[in-house]
Amino acid sequence: MTCDGIVVGRRDIGENSCFIDILTDELGVVEATAHGASKINSSLLSSAALFSYSTFCLNKNKLRYTINSAKPRFSFHEIGADIEKLALASYFAQAVKFCTPSEQEQIGEGRDSLVRFFAIALYETLHAGETRSLEAVKAAFELRYSVILGFAPNLVACHNCGHYECGRGMYFLTRKSKLVCADCLNPEFEGERVLLLPETLFAMRSVVFSPLERCFKFSVSANAEKQLAEIAEDCFLYRTERSFTALKYYKDLTKGEI
Ligand SMILES: [Zn+2]
């Protein structure tokens, strides 16, 4: 079968071959053998590289897939030139590998293409630092990916009164993933909540409700970015119920601890 996909994992076997994990819309994450892919004259050399976006032609033999041929569409290999970008992209790859079932179709009515989303996330990572920071890209990934996984936060309006905004501010209840305006917040409510900066709420709505190609295209001040980053990461990790080693590495790296 033929499908577009992005390499999200790679393990060398022997001298010249490797197993690669390919993120596809048709099959979820699929592991395939790329025979001879490490040879310098191999036609699979660039397509079997991590973060390569290609059209793969796969053969299935018994329970295993083998790459028959591949045509590169876009290469994100330049991400590897910047260690922070590489660390962040590795976290994204680990997240999709963990959250995407293997050999299960990921496309459906009204559903975003996972491959397209991942390609956009890699593109924005590659170009981070030009118009938006790596932290903003990370937050947008976590928030929008939560939506794709079916954990969309309810950001339309106050859960209680239905108002879109409130002069005294809007709270985001992080464990319930919903908004409550300051007028409606029960003073005795003791759950976790964040009083959102208006800019943060605007950015969150933009990430969640925009068409896929626009979901990373927002700009925020440093304060709002910090708030957005904390909320997005917290929500994503809470819903996926796990930690990611690549995330820890990225955070240690950006904190200057490595
Ligand atoms: Zn309200």
Side-chain angles (χ1 to χ4, degrees), residues 28-133:
V29 172
V30 57
E31 188 190 66
T33 313
H35 289 293
S38 306
K39 284 186 193 160
I40 201 77
N41 59 352
S42 168
S43 60
L44 299 179
L45 187 68
S46 68
S47 293
L50 192 61
F51 306 132
S52 147
Y53 181 14
S54 302
T55 303
F56 293 94
C57 181
L58 304 170
N59 277 347
K60 191 171 185 183
N61 190 350
K62 293 180 185 153
L63 290 171
R64 292 217 52 88
Y65 285 94
T66 304
I67 299 172
N68 196 12
S69 63
K71 190 165 166 246
R73 290 170 59 93
F74 198 88
S75 168
F76 295 101
H77 75 272
E78 282 173 43
I79 285 177
D82 181 313
I83 188 148
E84 288 188 6
K85 290 180 179 179
L86 180 62
L88 185 64
S90 301
Y91 163 49
F92 294 169
Q94 211 175 60
V96 295
K97 261 169 69 178
F98 171 72
C99 299
T100 313
S102 60
E103 302 206 25
Q104 209 168 305
E105 195 176 44
Q106 299 298 304
I107 27 184
E109 182 76 25
R111 205 165 160 190
D112 289 330
S113 155
L114 195 50
V115 171
R116 209 161 138 252
F117 169 69
F118 198 70
I120 295 170
L122 290 179
Y123 181 87
E124 293 293 338
T125 302
L126 185 59
H127 292 279
E130 293 169 17
T131 49
R132 67 191 62 76
S133 71

Side-chain angles (χ1 to χ4, degrees), residues 149-221:
L149 291 171
F151 308 137
N154 186 352
L155 298 176
V156 178
C158 168
H159 183 69
N160 189 50
C161 69
H163 283 146
Y164 186 74
E165 54 194 359
C166 169
R168 292 173 56 218
M170 302 286 271
Y171 285 89
F172 184 65
L173 311 186
T174 51
R175 291 293 168 256
K176 295 172 188 284
S177 251
K178 57 178 72 151
L179 290 175
V180 170
C181 75
D183 292 341
C184 292
L185 184 77
N186 182 342
E188 284 167 23
F189 177 74
E190 287 178 350
E192 283 186 48
R193 79 276 207 178
V194 184
L195 179 59
L196 296 173
L197 295 164
E199 249 191 295
T200 309
L201 179 55
F202 185 81
M204 286 171 79
R205 281 176 168 151
S206 160
V207 172
V208 168
F209 299 123
S210 295
L212 211 50
E213 62 277 7
R214 307 256 345 132
C215 71
F216 287 85
K217 310 263 184 237
F218 60 89
S219 54
V220 280
S221 65

